[in-house]
Amino acid sequence: MSEIKVMIVDDSAVVRQVLSGLLNAAPGITVTHAVANPLLAIERMKVQWPDVIVLDVEMPKMDGITFLRKLMTEHPTPVVICSTLTEKGAQTSVEALTAGAVAIITKPRLDLKQFLHDSADELVSAVRAAAGAHVGKLAARALASPPPPPVTVKLNADAILPPTDARPMTATTERVVAIGTSTGGTQALEEVLTALPRVAPGIVVVQHMPEKFTAAFAARLDSVCEVRVKEAENNDRVLQGQVLIAPGGKHMLLRRTGAQYFVEVVDGPLVNRHRPSVDVLFRSAARAAGANALGVIMTGMGDDGAAGMLEMLKAGARTVAQDEASCVVYGMPKEAVKRGGVEKSVPLNAIYREILQQLQY
């Protein structure tokens, strides 16, 4: 890939300075402009258009959401949101994801400079992912993680849940759908879930998203869907017509008691550099539900969920991947297909039908 040209739009001089230094130090990335507000950004873009924009949301003269919508309407460009980690900021950033942003980088109000230095790898990864995203698909849908800070050792699902060769209990009338997604997943999930009727099977979802953001994301989905959508709490039962979103900063596991399914929300190390991790959810679904489950892996960067999907297939579950043509980033589905864990790949607009078929098994 040729050099990635980045524009930073943030009203904080400290943020502009630190982000510029961190990105310029990364191979293959150059910050061409760092400006204080969208109006200045528009003037600079008349001279040179960036490959990626790192954008704050709360700024004077023009807010980030308005600027983002203008971009997506007139000239779709990959955008990484750099937002303060607050409840208000979470709601605004989820709105930005819905409007077409690729990822979120969170920033605290205190110790900002040190935090940004500590999150340098996360920032660089988000910018690289954004540069390779099919942003036109996001723009079209707009008209929904960064991943958590990386660790030196990439852990797998063994860190949370040991593997097992045992098959789960025999099939019952209870059915469950486990969905995993990341970059581009906020919009993709909205498209899938809004197509479902209230009689849809119980659904559990891992969307890579930071702490505090998943509650706002679930509330937004709940407002536009026939099914009920909520951020999962420990011991929530998996019910027909309900979608449970794993909370940011926690892993979510599927458990079974008798013929009923519940979720367990737990702490633990990052798995595949994520918390929540799709692999953790999928492994637990393989153990607890087996042939009673459907695994769905959708748009996202990296390989989280690929190993878990293969475990689900071996346990008797149906498995479906979003196809390359409809993905914003064909990373996670591609890895799942490569490892042999996917029965079939379908376009995004066909996934809801696969979910409804689960009621017939």
Side-chain angles (χ1 to χ4, degrees), residues 68 72 78-81 93 96-104 138 144 184 186-187:
L68 175 62
M72 290 301 162
V79 171
V80 174
I81 294 296
S93 295
L97 288 169
T98 303
V102 175
I104 302 172
L138 288 173
T186 51
Q187 285 191 343

Side-chain angles (χ1 to χ4, degrees), residues 240-252:
Q240 190 174 42
Q242 178 171 271
V243 180
L244 299 176
I245 307 286
K250 302 281 188 179
H251 291 298
M252 182 172 71

Side-chain angles (χ1 to χ4, degrees), residues 212-216 218-219 229-233 236 243-248:
K212 296 184 184 294
F213 287 77
T214 41
V229 185
K230 70 182 292 285
E231 183 183 58
E233 298 177 78
D236 273 347
V243 180
L244 299 176
I245 307 286

Side-chain angles (χ1 to χ4, degrees), residues 146-275:
V151 292
T152 54
V153 177
K154 181 179 176 182
L155 300 178
N156 61 26
D158 292 352
I160 304 297
L161 189 66
T164 179
D165 294 327
R167 289 223 171 192
M169 295 165 59
T170 55
T172 73
T173 56
E174 293 288 323
R175 295 292 184 267
V176 62
V177 177
I179 300 177
T181 186
S182 186
T183 311
T186 51
Q187 285 191 343
L189 277 171
E190 183 171 333
E191 182 169 332
V192 171
L193 298 183
T194 53
L196 293 174
R198 293 182 182 178
V199 295
I203 299 172
V204 287
V205 176
V206 164
Q207 159 72 58
H208 293 157
M209 190 173 277
E211 184 182 358
K212 296 184 184 294
F213 287 77
T214 41
F217 177 54
R220 173 184 160 68
L221 289 175
D222 187 61
S223 71
V224 297
C225 294
E226 286 192 31
V227 291
R228 183 189 181 206
V229 185
K230 70 182 292 285
E231 183 183 58
E233 298 177 78
N234 197 40
N235 292 322
D236 273 347
R237 186 179 165 192
V238 179
L239 298 169
Q240 190 174 42
Q242 178 171 271
V243 180
L244 299 176
I245 307 286
K250 302 281 188 179
H251 291 298
M252 182 172 71
L253 294 78
L254 186 70
R255 299 294 193 192
R256 181 170 175 172
T257 301
Q260 297 179 345
Y261 296 106
F262 297 81
V263 294
E264 184 178 356
V265 176
V266 300
D267 290 315
L270 304 179
V271 172
N272 290 326
R273 303 192 174 97
H274 293 285
R275 186 176 53 235

Side-chain angles (χ1 to χ4, degrees), residues 6-239:
V6 178
M7 171 179 280
I8 297 168
V9 186
D10 197 299
D11 62 336
S12 167
V14 172
V15 171
R16 295 197 302 273
Q17 179 185 26
V18 175
L19 292 184
S20 295
L22 294 176
L23 290 173
N24 280 325
I29 298 177
T30 298
V31 176
T32 55
H33 295 99
V35 297
N37 62 67
L39 297 182
L40 290 173
I42 291 169
E43 290 302 312
R44 298 293 191 275
M45 287 189 293
K46 291 177 181 178
V47 178
Q48 183 179 40
W49 205 275
D51 299 313
V52 177
I53 297 173
V54 178
L55 178 67
D56 191 12
V57 289
E58 297 174 338
M59 292 177 289
K61 298 188 178 179
M62 181 188 288
D63 65 273
I65 303 297
T66 301
F67 179 52
L68 175 62
R69 287 176 175 151
K70 179 179 175 65
L71 278 174
M72 290 301 162
T73 301
E74 299 176 3
H75 193 308
T77 305
V79 171
V80 174
I81 294 296
C82 194
S83 174
T84 303
L85 186 56
T86 64
E87 183 175 349
K88 180 182 177 183
Q91 294 169 345
T92 306
S93 295
V94 167
E95 187 178 352
L97 288 169
T98 303
V102 175
I104 302 172
I105 294 291
T106 59
K107 58 182 182 182
R109 294 192 180 279
L110 301 176
D111 297 324
L112 179 59
K113 183 179 290 188
Q114 185 59 48
F115 175 86
L116 291 174
H117 277 290
D118 292 345
S119 303
D121 289 343
E122 178 185 356
L123 171 67
V124 170
S125 294
V127 168
R128 293 193 198 283
H134 300 292
V135 73
K137 294 184 176 70
L138 288 173
R141 292 172 192 150
L143 293 171
S145 33
V151 292
T152 54
V153 177
K154 181 179 176 182
L155 300 178
N156 61 26
D158 292 352
I160 304 297
L161 189 66
T164 179
D165 294 327
R167 289 223 171 192
M169 295 165 59
T170 55
T172 73
T173 56
E174 293 288 323
R175 295 292 184 267
V176 62
V177 177
I179 300 177
T181 186
S182 186
T183 311
T186 51
Q187 285 191 343
L189 277 171
E190 183 171 333
E191 182 169 332
V192 171
L193 298 183
T194 53
L196 293 174
R198 293 182 182 178
V199 295
I203 299 172
V204 287
V205 176
V206 164
Q207 159 72 58
H208 293 157
M209 190 173 277
E211 184 182 358
K212 296 184 184 294
F213 287 77
T214 41
F217 177 54
R220 173 184 160 68
L221 289 175
D222 187 61
S223 71
V224 297
C225 294
E226 286 192 31
V227 291
R228 183 189 181 206
V229 185
K230 70 182 292 285
E231 183 183 58
E233 298 177 78
N234 197 40
N235 292 322
D236 273 347
R237 186 179 165 192
V238 179
L239 298 169

